[in-house]
Short mmCIF file of all heavy atoms in Angstrom, two decimals:
data_model
loop_
_atom_site.label_atom_id
_atom_site.label_comp_id
_atom_site.label_asym_id
_atom_site.label_seq_id
_atom_site.Cartn_x
_atom_site.Cartn_y
_atom_site.Cartn_z
N ARG V 23 0.84 -1.19 0.00
CA ARG V 23 0.00 0.00 0.00
C ARG V 23 0.88 1.24 0.00
O ARG V 23 1.98 1.23 0.55
CB ARG V 23 -0.92 0.02 1.22
CG ARG V 23 -1.87 -1.17 1.26
CD ARG V 23 -2.81 -1.12 2.44
NE ARG V 23 -3.76 -2.23 2.40
CZ ARG V 23 -4.78 -2.38 3.23
NH1 ARG V 23 -4.99 -1.48 4.20
NH2 ARG V 23 -5.59 -3.42 3.12
N ALA V 24 0.37 2.29 -0.62
CA ALA V 24 1.13 3.53 -0.72
C ALA V 24 0.25 4.72 -0.42
O ALA V 24 -0.98 4.66 -0.55
CB ALA V 24 1.73 3.68 -2.13
N THR V 25 0.89 5.82 -0.01
CA THR V 25 0.14 7.07 0.09
C THR V 25 -0.32 7.48 -1.31
O THR V 25 0.12 6.92 -2.32
CB THR V 25 1.01 8.19 0.69
OG1 THR V 25 2.01 8.58 -0.26
CG2 THR V 25 1.67 7.75 1.98
N VAL V 26 -1.17 8.47 -1.38
CA VAL V 26 -1.76 8.86 -2.66
C VAL V 26 -0.83 9.73 -3.49
O VAL V 26 -1.23 10.27 -4.52
CB VAL V 26 -3.10 9.59 -2.43
CG1 VAL V 26 -4.12 8.65 -1.82
CG2 VAL V 26 -2.90 10.82 -1.53
N VAL V 27 0.42 9.84 -3.09
CA VAL V 27 1.40 10.66 -3.80
C VAL V 27 2.06 9.81 -4.89
O VAL V 27 2.47 8.67 -4.63
CB VAL V 27 2.46 11.21 -2.83
CG1 VAL V 27 3.49 12.05 -3.56
CG2 VAL V 27 1.77 12.03 -1.74
N ILE V 28 2.20 10.36 -6.09
CA ILE V 28 2.66 9.58 -7.24
C ILE V 28 4.02 8.94 -6.99
O ILE V 28 4.25 7.78 -7.35
CB ILE V 28 2.71 10.47 -8.50
CG1 ILE V 28 1.29 10.87 -8.91
CG2 ILE V 28 3.40 9.75 -9.66
CD1 ILE V 28 1.24 11.85 -10.06
N ARG V 29 4.97 9.67 -6.38
CA ARG V 29 6.30 9.11 -6.19
C ARG V 29 6.27 7.88 -5.28
O ARG V 29 7.10 6.99 -5.42
CB ARG V 29 7.26 10.17 -5.66
CG ARG V 29 6.88 10.79 -4.32
CD ARG V 29 7.86 11.90 -3.94
NE ARG V 29 7.49 12.59 -2.71
CZ ARG V 29 6.69 13.63 -2.64
NH1 ARG V 29 6.14 14.11 -3.76
NH2 ARG V 29 6.41 14.21 -1.49
N CYS V 30 5.33 7.84 -4.35
CA CYS V 30 5.19 6.67 -3.48
C CYS V 30 4.57 5.50 -4.24
O CYS V 30 4.99 4.35 -4.09
CB CYS V 30 4.35 7.02 -2.25
SG CYS V 30 5.05 8.34 -1.24
N ILE V 31 3.58 5.79 -5.06
CA ILE V 31 2.93 4.75 -5.86
C ILE V 31 3.93 4.10 -6.80
O ILE V 31 4.00 2.87 -6.93
CB ILE V 31 1.74 5.34 -6.63
CG1 ILE V 31 0.69 5.89 -5.66
CG2 ILE V 31 1.12 4.30 -7.56
CD1 ILE V 31 -0.39 6.73 -6.33
N LEU V 32 4.74 4.92 -7.48
CA LEU V 32 5.73 4.38 -8.42
C LEU V 32 6.83 3.62 -7.70
O LEU V 32 7.36 2.63 -8.24
CB LEU V 32 6.31 5.51 -9.26
CG LEU V 32 5.35 6.17 -10.25
CD1 LEU V 32 6.03 7.32 -10.98
CD2 LEU V 32 4.80 5.15 -11.24
N SER V 33 7.18 4.04 -6.49
CA SER V 33 8.18 3.29 -5.71
C SER V 33 7.64 1.91 -5.36
O SER V 33 8.34 0.90 -5.47
CB SER V 33 8.53 4.06 -4.45
OG SER V 33 9.17 5.29 -4.76
N MET V 34 6.39 1.86 -4.91
CA MET V 34 5.74 0.58 -4.62
C MET V 34 5.71 -0.31 -5.86
O MET V 34 6.01 -1.52 -5.79
CB MET V 34 4.32 0.83 -4.13
CG MET V 34 3.47 -0.42 -3.94
SD MET V 34 1.78 -0.03 -3.36
CE MET V 34 1.09 0.77 -4.82
N THR V 35 5.38 0.27 -7.00
CA THR V 35 5.30 -0.49 -8.24
C THR V 35 6.65 -1.09 -8.62
O THR V 35 6.74 -2.25 -9.04
CB THR V 35 4.78 0.40 -9.38
OG1 THR V 35 3.50 0.91 -9.02
CG2 THR V 35 4.68 -0.35 -10.68
N ALA V 36 7.71 -0.30 -8.46
CA ALA V 36 9.04 -0.78 -8.82
C ALA V 36 9.43 -1.99 -7.98
O ALA V 36 9.93 -3.00 -8.51
CB ALA V 36 10.07 0.34 -8.64
N ALA V 37 9.22 -1.92 -6.66
CA ALA V 37 9.55 -3.06 -5.80
C ALA V 37 8.68 -4.27 -6.12
O ALA V 37 9.17 -5.40 -6.17
CB ALA V 37 9.39 -2.66 -4.34
N SER V 38 7.40 -4.03 -6.36
CA SER V 38 6.48 -5.14 -6.66
C SER V 38 6.85 -5.84 -7.95
O SER V 38 6.70 -7.06 -8.08
CB SER V 38 5.04 -4.63 -6.72
OG SER V 38 4.63 -4.13 -5.46
N GLU V 39 7.33 -5.09 -8.93
CA GLU V 39 7.76 -5.70 -10.19
C GLU V 39 8.90 -6.69 -9.96
O GLU V 39 8.93 -7.77 -10.58
CB GLU V 39 8.20 -4.62 -11.17
CG GLU V 39 7.04 -3.81 -11.76
CD GLU V 39 7.49 -2.66 -12.61
OE1 GLU V 39 8.71 -2.36 -12.63
OE2 GLU V 39 6.63 -2.04 -13.27
N GLU V 40 9.82 -6.35 -9.08
CA GLU V 40 10.93 -7.27 -8.79
C GLU V 40 10.44 -8.51 -8.05
O GLU V 40 10.91 -9.62 -8.31
CB GLU V 40 12.01 -6.56 -7.98
CG GLU V 40 12.73 -5.46 -8.74
CD GLU V 40 13.56 -5.98 -9.90
OE1 GLU V 40 13.92 -7.19 -9.90
OE2 GLU V 40 13.85 -5.19 -10.82
N LEU V 41 9.51 -8.33 -7.12
CA LEU V 41 8.98 -9.48 -6.39
C LEU V 41 8.21 -10.40 -7.32
O LEU V 41 8.30 -11.64 -7.21
CB LEU V 41 8.10 -9.00 -5.24
CG LEU V 41 8.79 -8.16 -4.16
CD1 LEU V 41 7.78 -7.69 -3.12
CD2 LEU V 41 9.92 -8.94 -3.50
N ALA V 42 7.47 -9.82 -8.25
CA ALA V 42 6.73 -10.63 -9.22
C ALA V 42 7.68 -11.36 -10.16
O ALA V 42 7.44 -12.52 -10.55
CB ALA V 42 5.77 -9.75 -10.01
N ALA V 43 8.77 -10.70 -10.55
CA ALA V 43 9.75 -11.35 -11.42
C ALA V 43 10.42 -12.52 -10.72
O ALA V 43 10.71 -13.55 -11.34
CB ALA V 43 10.79 -10.34 -11.88
N ALA V 44 10.68 -12.36 -9.40
CA ALA V 44 11.32 -13.43 -8.65
C ALA V 44 10.38 -14.61 -8.42
O ALA V 44 10.83 -15.76 -8.28
CB ALA V 44 11.82 -12.89 -7.31
N ASN V 45 9.08 -14.34 -8.37
CA ASN V 45 8.09 -15.40 -8.09
C ASN V 45 6.78 -15.09 -8.81
O ASN V 45 5.89 -14.45 -8.25
CB ASN V 45 7.86 -15.52 -6.58
CG ASN V 45 6.88 -16.62 -6.23
OD1 ASN V 45 6.46 -17.40 -7.09
ND2 ASN V 45 6.49 -16.68 -4.96
N PRO V 46 6.65 -15.53 -10.05
CA PRO V 46 5.42 -15.26 -10.81
C PRO V 46 4.17 -15.85 -10.16
O PRO V 46 3.06 -15.43 -10.48
CB PRO V 46 5.69 -15.92 -12.16
CG PRO V 46 7.18 -15.97 -12.27
CD PRO V 46 7.67 -16.20 -10.86
N GLN V 47 4.34 -16.82 -9.25
CA GLN V 47 3.19 -17.43 -8.58
C GLN V 47 2.70 -16.62 -7.38
O GLN V 47 1.61 -16.88 -6.86
CB GLN V 47 3.54 -18.84 -8.11
CG GLN V 47 3.81 -19.82 -9.23
CD GLN V 47 4.19 -21.18 -8.68
OE1 GLN V 47 5.29 -21.37 -8.13
NE2 GLN V 47 3.27 -22.14 -8.79
N ALA V 48 3.50 -15.66 -6.94
CA ALA V 48 3.12 -14.88 -5.76
C ALA V 48 1.86 -14.08 -6.03
O ALA V 48 1.65 -13.57 -7.13
CB ALA V 48 4.26 -13.95 -5.36
N ARG V 49 1.04 -13.96 -4.98
CA ARG V 49 -0.15 -13.13 -5.07
C ARG V 49 0.19 -11.76 -4.50
O ARG V 49 0.32 -11.60 -3.29
CB ARG V 49 -1.30 -13.78 -4.31
CG ARG V 49 -1.89 -14.99 -5.01
CD ARG V 49 -2.97 -15.64 -4.18
NE ARG V 49 -2.39 -16.37 -3.04
CZ ARG V 49 -3.10 -16.86 -2.03
NH1 ARG V 49 -4.41 -16.67 -1.98
NH2 ARG V 49 -2.51 -17.52 -1.07
N ILE V 50 0.38 -10.80 -5.40
CA ILE V 50 0.82 -9.46 -5.01
C ILE V 50 -0.32 -8.49 -5.26
O ILE V 50 -0.82 -8.38 -6.39
CB ILE V 50 2.07 -9.04 -5.81
CG1 ILE V 50 3.22 -10.03 -5.54
CG2 ILE V 50 2.49 -7.62 -5.43
CD1 ILE V 50 4.46 -9.78 -6.38
N HIS V 51 -0.71 -7.79 -4.21
CA HIS V 51 -1.83 -6.84 -4.29
C HIS V 51 -1.31 -5.46 -3.97
O HIS V 51 -0.84 -5.19 -2.86
CB HIS V 51 -2.92 -7.23 -3.31
CG HIS V 51 -4.06 -6.25 -3.26
ND1 HIS V 51 -4.85 -5.95 -4.34
CD2 HIS V 51 -4.54 -5.49 -2.23
CE1 HIS V 51 -5.77 -5.06 -4.00
NE2 HIS V 51 -5.59 -4.77 -2.73
N ASN V 52 -1.34 -4.55 -4.93
CA ASN V 52 -0.99 -3.14 -4.73
C ASN V 52 -2.26 -2.33 -4.56
O ASN V 52 -3.21 -2.49 -5.33
CB ASN V 52 -0.20 -2.61 -5.92
CG ASN V 52 1.21 -3.17 -5.99
OD1 ASN V 52 1.64 -3.89 -5.10
ND2 ASN V 52 1.94 -2.84 -7.05
N ASP V 53 -2.24 -1.41 -3.61
CA ASP V 53 -3.45 -0.64 -3.34
C ASP V 53 -3.08 0.78 -2.93
O ASP V 53 -2.07 1.01 -2.26
CB ASP V 53 -4.27 -1.31 -2.23
CG ASP V 53 -5.75 -0.93 -2.28
OD1 ASP V 53 -6.12 -0.07 -3.11
OD2 ASP V 53 -6.53 -1.49 -1.51
N VAL V 54 -3.91 1.72 -3.36
CA VAL V 54 -3.76 3.12 -3.00
C VAL V 54 -5.14 3.68 -2.70
O VAL V 54 -6.06 3.53 -3.50
CB VAL V 54 -3.13 3.92 -4.16
CG1 VAL V 54 -3.00 5.40 -3.77
CG2 VAL V 54 -1.77 3.35 -4.54
N SER V 55 -5.29 4.29 -1.53
CA SER V 55 -6.58 4.85 -1.16
C SER V 55 -6.38 5.87 -0.05
O SER V 55 -5.49 5.72 0.80
CB SER V 55 -7.54 3.75 -0.67
OG SER V 55 -8.71 4.32 -0.13
N ARG V 56 -7.21 6.88 -0.04
CA ARG V 56 -7.15 7.85 1.05
C ARG V 56 -7.55 7.24 2.38
O ARG V 56 -7.24 7.80 3.43
CB ARG V 56 -8.03 9.06 0.72
CG ARG V 56 -7.54 9.84 -0.49
CD ARG V 56 -8.25 11.17 -0.66
NE ARG V 56 -7.76 11.86 -1.85
CZ ARG V 56 -6.63 12.56 -1.91
NH1 ARG V 56 -5.87 12.67 -0.82
NH2 ARG V 56 -6.26 13.14 -3.04
N THR V 57 -8.21 6.09 2.35
CA THR V 57 -8.61 5.46 3.61
C THR V 57 -7.40 4.94 4.38
O THR V 57 -7.51 4.66 5.58
CB THR V 57 -9.57 4.28 3.35
OG1 THR V 57 -8.93 3.31 2.51
CG2 THR V 57 -10.83 4.77 2.68
N PHE V 58 -6.25 4.80 3.73
CA PHE V 58 -5.04 4.33 4.41
C PHE V 58 -4.21 5.47 4.99
O PHE V 58 -3.25 5.22 5.71
CB PHE V 58 -4.12 3.56 3.44
CG PHE V 58 -4.79 2.48 2.65
CD1 PHE V 58 -4.37 2.22 1.35
CD2 PHE V 58 -5.82 1.72 3.18
CE1 PHE V 58 -4.97 1.23 0.60
CE2 PHE V 58 -6.43 0.73 2.44
CZ PHE V 58 -6.00 0.49 1.15
N GLN V 59 -4.54 6.70 4.63
CA GLN V 59 -3.65 7.81 4.94
C GLN V 59 -3.52 8.06 6.44
O GLN V 59 -2.52 8.62 6.89
CB GLN V 59 -4.13 9.08 4.24
CG GLN V 59 -4.22 8.95 2.73
CD GLN V 59 -2.99 8.33 2.10
OE1 GLN V 59 -1.92 8.91 2.11
NE2 GLN V 59 -3.13 7.12 1.54
N TYR V 60 -4.51 7.64 7.23
CA TYR V 60 -4.45 7.94 8.66
C TYR V 60 -3.27 7.25 9.34
O TYR V 60 -2.80 7.70 10.39
CB TYR V 60 -5.76 7.55 9.36
CG TYR V 60 -5.93 6.06 9.62
CD1 TYR V 60 -5.55 5.51 10.84
CD2 TYR V 60 -6.44 5.22 8.64
CE1 TYR V 60 -5.70 4.14 11.07
CE2 TYR V 60 -6.59 3.86 8.86
CZ TYR V 60 -6.22 3.33 10.08
OH TYR V 60 -6.36 1.98 10.31
N TYR V 61 -2.77 6.18 8.73
CA TYR V 61 -1.56 5.57 9.30
C TYR V 61 -0.35 5.64 8.36
O TYR V 61 0.79 5.60 8.82
CB TYR V 61 -1.81 4.12 9.74
CG TYR V 61 -2.08 3.13 8.64
CD1 TYR V 61 -1.05 2.49 7.97
CD2 TYR V 61 -3.39 2.78 8.30
CE1 TYR V 61 -1.30 1.55 6.97
CE2 TYR V 61 -3.66 1.84 7.31
CZ TYR V 61 -2.61 1.23 6.65
OH TYR V 61 -2.87 0.30 5.67
N LEU V 62 -0.57 5.74 7.05
CA LEU V 62 0.56 5.83 6.12
C LEU V 62 1.18 7.22 6.09
O LEU V 62 2.38 7.37 5.84
CB LEU V 62 0.13 5.45 4.70
CG LEU V 62 -0.14 3.98 4.42
CD1 LEU V 62 -0.56 3.79 2.97
CD2 LEU V 62 1.09 3.13 4.73
N ASN V 63 0.38 8.24 6.36
CA ASN V 63 0.88 9.62 6.34
C ASN V 63 0.01 10.44 7.28
O ASN V 63 -0.75 11.31 6.87
CB ASN V 63 0.84 10.19 4.92
CG ASN V 63 1.59 11.49 4.78
OD1 ASN V 63 2.34 11.89 5.66
ND2 ASN V 63 1.39 12.17 3.66
N ALA V 64 0.14 10.16 8.55
CA ALA V 64 -0.79 10.67 9.56
C ALA V 64 -0.70 12.17 9.74
O ALA V 64 0.40 12.76 9.72
CB ALA V 64 -0.51 9.98 10.90
N ASP V 65 -1.87 12.79 9.91
CA ASP V 65 -1.91 14.19 10.35
C ASP V 65 -1.50 14.25 11.82
O ASP V 65 -1.83 13.36 12.61
CB ASP V 65 -3.32 14.76 10.20
CG ASP V 65 -3.71 14.94 8.74
OD1 ASP V 65 -2.81 15.16 7.91
OD2 ASP V 65 -4.92 14.85 8.45
N TRP V 66 -0.80 15.31 12.17
CA TRP V 66 -0.37 15.45 13.56
C TRP V 66 -1.56 15.83 14.45
O TRP V 66 -2.41 16.63 14.06
CB TRP V 66 0.70 16.53 13.67
CG TRP V 66 2.04 16.08 13.19
CD1 TRP V 66 2.30 15.21 12.17
CD2 TRP V 66 3.30 16.49 13.70
NE1 TRP V 66 3.65 15.06 12.02
CE2 TRP V 66 4.30 15.82 12.95
CE3 TRP V 66 3.70 17.34 14.72
CZ2 TRP V 66 5.66 16.00 13.19
CZ3 TRP V 66 5.05 17.52 14.95
CH2 TRP V 66 6.02 16.86 14.20
#
């Protein structure tokens, strides 16, 4: 999961691509949503 910022989404995608290449059978789920922001990028 990533914050809704593009640079974070693309970073997640890059790592996931390597994990998928190492194991095509792996079940990899990438997700981006504002519902995650309260812990991924918390307001003070």
Side-chain angles (χ1 to χ4, degrees):
R23 299 182 176 186
T25 71
V26 294
V27 180
I28 292 174
R29 60 184 176 272
C30 299
I31 298 169
L32 292 177
S33 296
M34 173 180 69
T35 301
S38 296
E39 287 174 351
E40 293 294 339
L41 298 177
N45 181 8
Q47 294 178 289
R49 287 177 286 169
I50 301 175
H51 176 61
N52 288 355
D53 203 354
V54 179
S55 171
R56 295 191 181 279
T57 60
F58 310 146
Q59 302 312 293
Y60 77 94
Y61 67 86
L62 287 180
N63 192 12
D65 290 331
W66 284 34

